Amino acid sequence: LRCVTGLLAGLLVSTPVVAQPTITAVLNGASFDAGVAPGSIISIFGTGLASQTAQAANVPLPATLGGTSVTVAGLGNVPLYFVSPTQINAVVPFQIPVIAWNNIHGSYVTAIPTVTITTSAGTSKPYALEVRPVVPGLFTTSSDGKGPAMIFNPDFSVATQLLPGHTYIAYAAGLGAVSPTPVQGYGGGF
């Protein structure tokens, strides 16, 4: 009985080791190409990014989802579409500074912005972002940035044939700043 009690006590006081979030890549959320633009949807990849898988149910998008939050360039927590242990989809603030190189002085004009992820296990190390004015990418039917673009007719039915002179809808990310600047977490037109 003594051994069993000691064993049970050891099991009761031991706690699982939860790894701090680690970011391995931050990419355009549509094309999965490197670089981000103001207002773009990004995909963050790594390990320990969230303790569970969760997705936003409506707009405005939440700044915390499944206990996970993302901070970009010190501008506060950003809107989140989706979180999982290995991937997060989020929105870059329109106010993020675009990195500019000064050829005369051989240095960056602005500090290189970073992204961090905070979970119950802690905060990730800052990950440097390559911010450009535009990093266009179309969302694809294969959801990997490589297949045919997601293109719809004005009634939102899938466009199977594109004809000259007709209007179509394509979903994109990384198109850069807009005017007026939307409220963070809301779609355009709010």
Side-chain angles (χ1 to χ4, degrees):
L1 184 60
R2 191 176 203 178
C3 290
V4 173
T5 304
L7 177 63
L8 289 176
L11 290 175
L12 294 176
V13 296
S14 65
T15 56
V17 177
V18 180
Q20 179 177 346
T22 301
I23 302 170
T24 57
V26 179
L27 306 173
N28 178 298
S31 65
F32 295 115
D33 288 333
V36 300
S40 66
I41 298 170
I42 56 171
S43 291
I44 304 167
F45 295 96
T47 58
L49 303 182
S51 61
Q52 61 184 322
T53 298
Q55 62 185 18
N58 51 27
V59 292
L61 296 173
T64 300
L65 193 56
T68 296
S69 62
V70 176
T71 301
V72 173
L75 297 171
N77 293 344
V78 300
L80 301 174
Y81 279 104
F82 170 83
V83 299
S84 76
T86 58
Q87 181 178 344
I88 294 174
N89 295 337
V91 181
V92 175
F94 280 99
Q95 297 80 7
I96 192 169
V98 174
I99 297 174
W101 181 260
N102 183 327
N103 286 326
I104 296 171
H105 295 96
S107 62
Y108 288 104
V109 175
T110 58
I112 296 175
T114 60
V115 61
T116 57
I117 296 170
T118 301
T119 69
S120 60
T123 300
S124 69
K125 292 180 182 175
Y127 187 92
L129 294 176
E130 180 185 343
V131 183
R132 294 182 260 159
V134 295
V135 183
L138 292 174
F139 286 93
T140 62
T141 57
S142 57
S143 300
D144 63 3
K146 306 300 177 214
M150 291 176 62
I151 300 177
F152 300 90
N153 294 305
D155 66 359
F156 293 101
S157 63
V158 175
T160 56
Q161 182 180 11
L162 302 181
L163 302 171
H166 287 76
T167 300
Y168 299 98
I169 301 165
Y171 289 93
L175 301 180
V178 297
S179 182
T181 302
V183 175
Q184 186 165 293
Y186 285 86
F190 290 96

